[in-house]
Amino acid sequence: MSGSSPSRAPRDIDHAVVRFAGDSGDGMQLTGTEFTREAAFQGNDLATFPDYPAEIRAPAGTTAGVSGYQIQFAAHEVYSAGDQPDTLVAMNPAALKVHLADLKKGGLLVLNEASFQPADLTRAGWKSNPLTDHSLDGYRLIQVDFDKLVTHACEGLPGLGAKDVQRTKNFFALGLVFWLYSRDTARQEKAIHERFAKKPEIGEANLRAFKAGYFYGETTEAADAPWHIAPARLSPGTYRNVMGSTALALGLVAAAQKSGLRLFFGSYPITPASDILHELAKHRQFGVTTFQAEDEIAAVTASIGAAFGGALGATASSGPGIALKTEALGLALMIELPLVVIDAQRGGPSTGLPTKTEQSDLFQAVYGRNGESPIPVLAARSPADCFEVAFEASRIAIEYRTPVILLSDGAIGNGTEPWKLPRADALPRIDPKLRTDPEGFQPYSRDPETLARPWAVPGTKGLEHRVGGLEKDSLTGNVSYDPLNHEKMTRTRAEKVNRIARTYPKLVPAGDPDGEVGVLSWGGTYGSVTQAVIDARASGIRVGHIHLRHIFPLPLDLPEVLSRYRRILLPELNLGQLRLHVRGQLGIETIGLNKIQGKPFHVAEVRSAIEALARSPGPVTHKELA
Amino acid sequence: MTGKLNLAKKDFVSDQEVRWCPGCADFAILSTVQKVMPELDVPRENIVFVSGIGCSSRFPYYMNTYGMHGIHGRAPAIATGLKMARPELTVFVVTGDGDGLSIGGNHLIHALRRNIDLKILLFDNRIYGLTKGQASPTSELGKRTKSSPYGTVDRPFNPLTIALGAGATFVARSVATDTAHLATVLRRAAQHKGAAFVQIWQNCPVFNDGAFDSWAERDVRDEALIKLEHGKPLLFGKAKDKALRTGAGFSLEVGGTDGAVVHDEMREDLALSMALAALEPPMPQPMGVLRAVSRPTVDALAREQEEEAARKQAPDLEGLLRSGDTWTVEAQA
């Protein structure tokens, strides 16, 4: 089949957004992932956004159980998973109900008409049948009986129940979309064989469903397809498509290898951070110890214990779990040992929206502890960026003997994008400078440059000492209640963290280096903001983009860079936490664009805000754009 | 001086002034631990004491070894991370009845079930001392304290049955006033490979004075306590003329020495150790090692997995980064 050519020549387009949606048991995440893999192989740039419910299997056919996976793939650089799908695959009426409003006007709908029975419609909350009541007017439609076609495709296959056959429908959909975008099928056919190697009859059924979907498109010349999207001109190098959680894990392993330390990762299962544990648990040969703890507190305190023993300690969680770890973070900063703490943010407060994304843990990360307790905070901007940020967080933790918080989020952690692989030997070495010399050893003497204290690990003769959460004498580390010593230590801990800002690279705005509007952003809004700035500049607005990796301490050159723009727009998926942080730290007013829906920004939302600010002549005051 | 290393008690005394209240039983425990340490013949730099919060948790400051005074209740978790990262170290946990059984109860039971190779010393004074006298999870029912002026209404934990129930491979009890016995138990705990749990009765002269007098004082202890010895009949009384025997209905009862149950700390099943642990006054209180069985430790198992993985596939960072599906973009001509 890979040799067969479409009857109609594919038409070149430069990008497309496809969303797969179905029940959480329909295999939509797998379908999306497989489509993404092929897009990566074909050299497209891409970004993905998986969106699934907190319930593993909500009642079938209800809107509560709808799981979606969106990909934007293109012949040019891609920064976000796209605002509106060009093609929406809806496996049932519930998926259509949830996602129809997002589909681009005139967009392509792929529907399984077998699933539009009266009972299905009622379960999904449709009052009448959208296939017949003109709800779908204005969209192009591929309406197929998936049930019947997969049944035909699997006819004569031994050892398969009707249920097994129906479970291949997602591969039918995948095959059809492969045809729509003229994707090569050979790799996917091989992948299906490999995936189901232990159950060859199931593999054969899925393969047949996949081919049936592909042939259905080809035979019916569905829509005005097929389309073709050429490889993107990415910068030369070797790439792999990577999930944010995977890249975080690899960043930690790389930092441990480059510092010659063991990696100890303590973790307690929590959405959306657990994948980091899953990834690290595979890499034991690198001296990686993963410890699934009894709770969040044990996860972080075990990592602190390991750091005391000379390992790179790390832990990961999401907002609620980080709250539980808070007291331990105070201990880590008091005893001044390296610790990397990843917060994969999700909708909050409390249990909030476990599977949805948000940026509302900035205050918790920067300000959420008892006492004067400065902890450096970094934020990853995209799945591939997670590697570098995890490496950088580890560097800071090791060199400054401090806990470091790394903010990621659900969309970054689960999302994927092509990652240009660094060469392992080109990664910088991190020198842990373990203390071995007993001569003149004082547990709290400090490096004059970094103010880091010596890291003297058990097993080192002559350096026996005790640490703890009680205030320390500024030299000996013995317990001290002396008032002036406490002030000195409090100021020293703050100064040590402040000095980290000296090691940041210079801030270079993207787009215009000065102008009407500067867009300041952090974390996972990077993609939408980048595209919005590109679009706004194309429409003639003078706008620049400053994206922060370092949230605390803020870059020293940030005030100067911000001063080059008439007004500053600050889009965030919260009520304005970076805005208040920047105001408090720097006394600089910005204008917030705030969204708290558990979803990323659309590019269009950010672009409209830039346009509104560029047009309005009014004074620069704080306000929130509605 | 003891052992090849020629260490002495004084080698384990730190330069810090000990700041427990005068008369505190913790002094006796500290002194006994410092005395036993040289016998282990482990270099000082390979020993770590980890504690939580409370009077007992100040212990690491007074030991001239590595040490960490952690946060409330978390010592078993801190020590677990340390031991898993550095299995070659000898790691002690010092905790109390509030630290170990209340705020840190979860960590304690999980450390025991994992059989992490830690020596956990729980100083049990049945009161919160450092916060000045509130009821603790081992305070007896009805106890009047600052936080329970009408008497507590919640039943206490029995630390020994908790440890056994959590799957501890070594469970023992001693008392600070009998330092010879305490030294024996500490020695055994230190030699045990796996999670060793030792409950040490410890009098708080300020907030719960006399808590153990009715069993542990010299004049009554022969009658009120029963010292366990592996392979020996369970006898007690000044003249060793009383015994624990199997009673009706799956119980232990006091009777004559004929038919005394023979103590077996290595029994696989928990029946005997649990029955001993659960004895309440006026039955004699067991002292010594209730259970000592051998099981693989989590620190050793985890390290074996890592070594096995490294044997199968040498660590290769470049290969790791390049794993999975990769593709190459060539430079444009």
Side-chain angles (χ1 to χ4, degrees):
Chain A
M1 164 170 133
S2 46
S4 73
S5 57
S7 48
R8 190 158 60 195
R11 193 154 52 85
D12 267 308
I13 55 177
D14 69 353
H15 74 279
V17 178
V18 175
R19 187 183 295 177
F20 297 93
D23 253 340
S24 36
D26 277 343
M28 290 297 96
Q29 299 305 317
L30 173 65
T31 311
T33 308
E34 290 304 296
F35 189 75
T36 301
R37 212 151 64 97
E38 185 56 30
F41 266 128
Q42 299 210 357
N44 299 131
D45 196 10
L46 63 90
T48 65
F49 178 57
D51 185 19
Y52 54 89
E55 294 74 20
I56 301 303
R57 294 277 191 277
T62 64
T63 53
V66 173
S67 168
Y69 186 104
Q70 182 163 314
I71 170 175
Q72 173 160 222
F73 56 114
H76 52 70
E77 280 185 282
V78 161
Y79 299 101
S80 81
D83 290 3
Q84 295 178 300
D86 301 295
T87 295
L88 171 64
V89 178
M91 301 293 283
N92 65 14
L96 182 68
K97 182 99 188 162
V98 171
H99 293 292
L100 181 61
D102 290 343
L103 183 62
K104 198 174 277 179
K105 280 291 158 218
L108 179 63
L109 253 178
V110 178
L111 298 176
N112 175 13
E113 69 179 16
S115 69
F116 284 71
Q117 303 306 316
D120 303 322
L121 296 170
T122 309
R123 251 198 310 276
W126 288 101
K127 296 211 165 46
S128 61
N129 190 342
L131 299 184
T132 54
D133 70 359
H134 301 288
S135 298
L136 308 181
D137 289 358
Y139 302 103
R140 290 168 301 150
L141 210 58
I142 300 180
Q143 187 181 324
V144 200
D145 187 334
F146 287 24
D147 296 27
K148 197 168 82 188
L149 290 181
V150 297
T151 305
H152 284 321
C154 295
E155 247 167 32
L157 271 182
L160 284 180
K163 223 173 180 176
D164 296 325
V165 172
Q166 290 307 309
R167 286 176 56 129
T168 65
K169 282 186 281 195
N170 60 327
F171 276 96
F172 181 89
L174 183 64
L176 179 50
V177 180
F178 259 61
W179 180 79
L180 289 174
Y181 291 98
S182 54
R183 307 272 99 175
D184 185 69
T185 56
R187 274 185 291 258
Q188 182 55 223
E189 288 171 22
K190 189 160 163 270
I192 291 173
H193 277 303
E194 284 166 5
R195 173 173 296 277
F196 298 101
K198 285 188 185 147
K199 292 177 182 171
E201 67 284 359
I202 301 282
E204 181 59 24
N206 280 304
L207 185 64
R208 288 196 189 184
F210 175 71
K211 288 182 177 179
Y214 189 94
F215 289 140
Y216 178 86
E218 189 179 62
T219 310
T220 60
E221 300 203 324
D224 52 343
W227 303 290
H228 174 255
I229 295 178
R233 293 192 174 182
L234 299 176
S235 73
T238 301
Y239 287 79
R240 74 187 259 199
N241 191 44
V242 74
M243 244 175 80
S245 295
T246 307
L248 286 170
L250 296 181
L252 293 177
V253 175
Q257 291 285 300
K258 285 296 182 171
S259 54
L261 300 173
R262 300 184 61 81
L263 174 63
F264 182 94
F265 185 77
S267 182
Y268 183 78
I270 187 170
T271 303
S274 304
D275 282 332
I276 305 167
L277 170 63
H278 304 162
E279 181 66 27
L280 283 170
K282 295 180 206 163
H283 304 307
R284 298 226 184 291
Q285 72 270 25
F286 290 92
V288 174
T289 307
T290 54
F291 173 61
Q292 185 182 325
E294 58 271 21
D295 60 29
E296 295 281 2
I297 300 170
V300 64
T301 48
S303 300
I304 293 171
F308 184 65
L312 171 58
T315 184
S317 187
S318 188
I322 299 294
L324 285 166
K325 296 180 195 293
T326 297
E327 186 197 8
L329 297 187
L331 175 67
L333 85 88
M334 199 72 166
I335 63 181
E336 303 192 40
L337 288 173
L339 180 73
V340 177
V341 181
I342 297 170
D343 178 355
Q345 300 168 96
R346 66 191 213 187
S350 188
T351 310
L353 301 169
T355 61
K356 308 296 176 190
T357 196
E358 205 163 276
Q359 296 184 295
S360 47
D361 290 351
L362 185 147
F363 283 168
Q364 173 171 243
V366 181
Y367 301 109
R369 284 168 296 282
N370 64 306
E372 294 291 346
S373 47
I375 289 182
V377 178
L378 287 78
R381 69 184 196 191
S382 71
D385 187 51
C386 283
F387 177 84
E388 257 187 58
V389 178
F391 194 91
E392 165 80 347
S394 305
R395 175 193 72 83
I396 292 173
I398 293 167
E399 289 181 357
Y400 288 82
R401 322 292 199 218
T402 178
V404 176
I405 295 178
L406 191 171
L407 294 172
S408 173
D409 65 43
I412 295 175
N414 291 323
T416 63
E417 68 177 349
W419 171 33
K420 185 175 164 181
L421 297 171
R423 288 205 57 86
D425 53 16
L427 292 170
R429 193 178 137 58
I430 302 169
D431 186 358
K433 294 187 185 160
L434 294 179
R435 172 87 185 209
T436 51
D437 183 6
E439 187 60 38
F441 170 68
Q442 293 289 355
Y444 276 75
S445 65
R446 290 183 188 276
D447 179 287
E449 180 56 29
T450 59
L451 300 184
R453 78 174 189 91
W455 193 4
V457 307
T460 318
K461 198 175 169 64
L463 301 187
E464 296 86 357
H465 67 287
R466 277 67 57 192
V467 295
L470 287 169
E471 184 60 282
K472 310 258 151 294
D473 176 84
S474 63
L475 192 62
T476 64
N478 291 327
V479 175
S480 168
Y481 300 108
D482 179 72
L484 293 180
N485 177 72
H486 177 52
E487 175 146 355
K488 180 180 179 188
M489 286 296 273
T490 301
R491 291 186 185 280
T492 305
R493 286 187 287 262
E495 173 62 12
K496 179 177 83 166
V497 171
N498 283 337
R499 286 190 184 187
I500 297 167
R502 296 178 181 177
T503 66
Y504 299 168
K506 198 166 166 280
L507 276 180
V508 180
D512 293 304
D514 53 54
E516 283 297 301
V517 180
V519 187
L520 177 63
S521 62
W522 68 281
T525 57
Y526 171 79
S528 309
V529 173
T530 299
Q531 191 60 53
V533 168
I534 291 171
D535 294 353
R537 291 184 74 223
S539 73
I541 298 171
R542 206 168 157 77
V543 52
H545 178 198
I546 304 105
H547 190 83
L548 295 181
R549 169 178 283 181
H550 299 97
I551 307 300
F552 188 79
L554 286 166
L556 299 170
D557 50 352
L558 182 59
E560 186 278 317
V561 172
L562 293 179
S563 73
R564 299 186 218 154
Y565 300 90
R566 189 165 68 90
R567 45 188 49 184
I568 304 295
L569 174 68
L570 208 171
E572 292 180 90
L573 301 175
N574 59 39
L575 284 177
Q577 299 193 6
L578 183 65
R579 191 173 75 219
L580 188 51
H581 180 51
V582 165
R583 185 194 296 160
Q585 296 283 326
L586 307 175
I588 294 174
E589 289 296 324
T590 60
I591 299 168
L593 172 66
N594 303 94
K595 178 173 175 179
I596 315 96
Q597 300 171 11
K599 292 176 174 180
F601 276 116
H602 284 173
V603 172
E605 292 167 334
V606 181
R607 191 180 56 227
S608 305
I610 295 170
E611 287 165 358
L613 282 190
R615 273 196 310 269
S616 98
V620 181
T621 54
H622 154 63
K623 67 169 181 178
E624 218 181 290
L625 293 173
Chain B
M1 299 280 181
T2 322
K4 288 195 288 288
L5 296 168
N6 275 330
L7 290 163
K9 179 181 176 187
K10 65 172 171 41
D11 293 317
F12 290 91
V13 178
S14 84
D15 61 356
Q16 297 297 292
E17 183 193 1
V18 183
R19 290 188 185 171
W20 288 311
C21 305
C24 179
D26 287 355
F27 284 100
I29 303 174
L30 175 63
S31 169
T32 307
V33 169
Q34 287 167 335
K35 192 173 133 246
V36 169
M37 280 295 122
E39 298 174 24
L40 307 184
D41 214 25
V42 173
R44 259 186 351 185
E45 64 270 21
N46 289 346
I47 298 173
V48 187
F49 278 80
V50 179
S51 65
I53 295 292
C55 294
S56 55
S57 287
R58 298 298 176 94
F59 199 94
Y61 291 122
Y62 310 134
M63 295 295 300
N64 193 10
T65 62
Y66 282 91
M68 191 194 297
H69 180 208
I71 47 177
H72 206 8
R74 317 307 170 196
I78 294 170
T80 295
L82 173 62
K83 182 71 186 179
M84 290 186 76
R86 300 285 306 279
E88 74 278 21
L89 299 175
T90 299
V91 183
F92 285 82
V93 168
V94 178
T95 182
D97 40 316
D99 189 62
L101 294 170
S102 198
I103 193 166
N106 197 31
H107 308 307
L108 180 68
I109 58 174
H110 285 276
L112 297 176
R113 86 163 161 93
R114 289 189 183 104
N115 198 32
I116 178 95
D117 186 22
L118 302 175
K119 318 304 153 206
I120 303 173
L121 314 182
L122 186 136
F123 299 8
D124 185 2
N125 57 14
R126 302 190 168 185
I127 198 79
Y128 280 87
L130 197 62
T131 50
K132 301 187 180 170
Q134 299 82 14
S136 92
T138 54
S139 294
E140 57 278 17
L141 182 64
K143 187 176 191 66
R144 289 170 190 270
T145 70
K146 276 187 192 158
S147 59
S148 57
Y150 300 101
T152 55
V153 292
D154 44 353
R155 290 170 40 74
F157 267 147
N158 176 332
L160 297 179
T161 57
I162 287 180
L164 289 166
T169 53
F170 181 96
V171 177
R173 177 195 272 157
S174 191
V175 57
T177 48
D178 187 348
T179 52
H181 184 264
L182 178 59
T184 309
V185 167
L186 290 174
R187 221 171 275 133
R188 286 286 313 277
Q191 284 156 359
H192 178 72
K193 194 78 191 152
F197 177 83
V198 182
Q199 179 197 18
I200 305 170
W201 281 338
Q202 168 250 324
N203 189 50
C204 171
V206 177
F207 295 108
N208 198 18
D209 197 22
F212 306 101
D213 285 1
S214 49
W215 313 297
E217 279 300 287
R218 222 170 260 282
D219 53 336
V220 291
R221 68 189 184 197
D222 288 338
E223 298 299 323
L225 305 178
I226 179 165
K227 287 191 176 167
L228 310 176
E229 286 180 81
H230 180 63
K232 302 263 178 72
L234 293 168
L235 304 181
F236 67 108
K238 203 169 188 81
K240 296 275 181 202
D241 55 349
K242 295 178 206 167
L244 287 178
R245 311 194 307 187
T246 313
F250 215 76
S251 66
L252 289 176
E253 63 175 25
V254 175
T257 55
D258 55 326
V261 173
V262 173
H263 183 47
D264 181 0
E265 59 192 32
M266 285 148 73
R267 275 174 70 124
E268 286 298 306
D269 71 84
L270 290 174
L272 177 59
S273 54
M274 205 47 118
L276 288 167
L279 290 173
E280 295 288 341
M283 294 290 278
Q285 297 293 286
M287 303 299 284
V289 179
L290 287 88
R291 179 172 171 80
V293 295
S294 176
R295 297 272 190 284
T297 65
V298 69
D299 40 298
L301 290 174
R303 193 49 68 98
E304 277 168 29
Q305 275 191 355
E306 288 167 28
E307 286 165 359
E308 177 65 20
R311 267 195 300 275
K312 281 188 182 152
Q313 194 183 3
D316 165 23
L317 183 58
E318 185 71 19
L320 176 66
L321 299 181
R322 266 146 224 273
S323 58
D325 301 327
T326 62
W327 70 96
T328 301
V329 175
E330 305 295 344
Q332 302 285 320

